[in-house]
């Protein structure tokens, strides 16, 4: 992972928000959203994208904040 995990997690949260903005269940696919909206702005492979989508970023940020106090 990156040196500053909080910034990395915030970027992951931004990717998840972008996905939710454009994903319509039963109409679009994650692959389509990835190709059209995510990959041009956040260069990564599809496998990494799917890992990011499945992360519970809010929980990880909360745990990181509690640990740093």
């Amino acid at each position: 992972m990156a040196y500053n995990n909080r910034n990395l997690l915030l970027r992951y949260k931004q990717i998840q928000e972008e996905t939710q903005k454009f994903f319509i269940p039963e109409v679009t696919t994650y692959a389509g959203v990835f190709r059209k909206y995510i990959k041009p702005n956040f260069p990564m492979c599809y496998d990494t994208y799917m890992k990011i989508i499945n992360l519970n970023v809010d929980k990880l940020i909360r745990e990181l904040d509690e640990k740093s106090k």
Side-chain angles (χ1 to χ4, degrees):
M1 277 199 134
Y3 172 72
N4 188 344
N5 290 334
R6 189 171 189 347
N7 286 339
L8 181 67
L9 292 173
L10 291 174
R11 185 176 340 137
Y12 287 177
K13 185 174 177 130
Q14 185 179 11
I15 291 168
Q16 289 178 347
E17 289 170 354
E18 287 288 317
T19 299
Q20 286 192 354
K21 200 183 321 180
F22 298 110
F23 182 76
I24 303 167
E26 298 181 13
V27 176
T28 59
T29 61
Y30 283 124
V33 171
F34 172 72
R35 271 184 256 125
K36 190 167 184 179
Y37 302 105
I38 303 300
K39 190 168 184 175
N41 298 320
F42 304 97
M44 68 182 81
C45 69
Y46 184 70
D47 290 335
T48 303
Y49 172 67
M50 290 310 296
K51 289 177 186 175
I52 292 170
I53 293 301
N54 291 317
L55 278 178
N56 188 348
V57 176
D58 293 327
K59 178 183 173 191
L60 293 172
I61 291 174
R62 208 173 321 113
E63 288 174 358
L64 193 63
D65 289 343
E66 288 174 5
K67 190 184 285 187
S68 66
K69 287 183 179 181

